[in-house]
Amino acid sequence: MAWIYLFLAGLFEVAWAISLKHSHGFSHFWPSVLTISLMMVSFLLLAHALKTLPVGTAYAVWTGIGIVGTTLLGMYLFGEPASVLRLVFIGLILAGIVGLKLLG
């Protein structure tokens, strides 16, 4: 169950990062409220996962999901660069996440 909490926490991290972009530095009220709410859910789910998972593993997986998801959505939603090297390094992060899951 802890891995499910951790995966969901990572997805909520991606969501709050994207909503943070839409908040324009917390200058737009509703996107700011959404961002803070998503942050709280992400941290709560991470906290539940940390009850049983090692902190280093959980934090690395949580941030890895956030990095990969936010980067890919940034490319798709905002037209951010999608160079071959950037995609290779995203693949390496994904490989690290899978490796930590297999070890943890």
Side-chain angles (χ1 to χ4, degrees), residues 7 10-11 13-15 17-18 21 63-95 97:
F7 179 72
L11 293 181
E13 183 185 7
V14 173
I18 297 301
K21 172 105 172 146
T63 57
I65 293 169
I67 291 166
V68 170
T70 304
T71 303
L72 292 175
L73 276 176
M75 291 176 196
Y76 178 74
L77 296 174
F78 307 120
E80 295 174 358
S83 68
V84 172
L85 272 179
R86 194 169 191 196
L87 295 173
V88 166
F89 288 122
I90 290 170
L92 290 172
I93 293 169
L94 277 172
I97 292 169

Side-chain angles (χ1 to χ4, degrees), residues 2-72:
W3 284 102
I4 294 170
Y5 287 140
L6 185 58
F7 179 72
L8 291 172
L11 293 181
F12 275 93
E13 183 185 7
V14 173
W16 72 251
I18 297 301
S19 68
L20 182 63
K21 172 105 172 146
H22 290 291
S23 79
H24 297 278
F26 291 110
S27 64
H28 291 89
F29 181 75
W30 289 114
S32 298
V33 169
L34 178 62
T35 300
I36 293 167
S37 299
L38 292 168
M39 285 177 173
M40 289 174 19
V41 172
S42 181
F43 281 110
L44 180 67
L45 289 166
L46 176 62
H48 281 297
L50 286 174
K51 289 180 182 178
T52 56
L53 296 175
V55 67
T57 299
Y59 185 73
V61 170
W62 179 66
T63 57
I65 293 169
I67 291 166
V68 170
T70 304
T71 303
L72 292 175

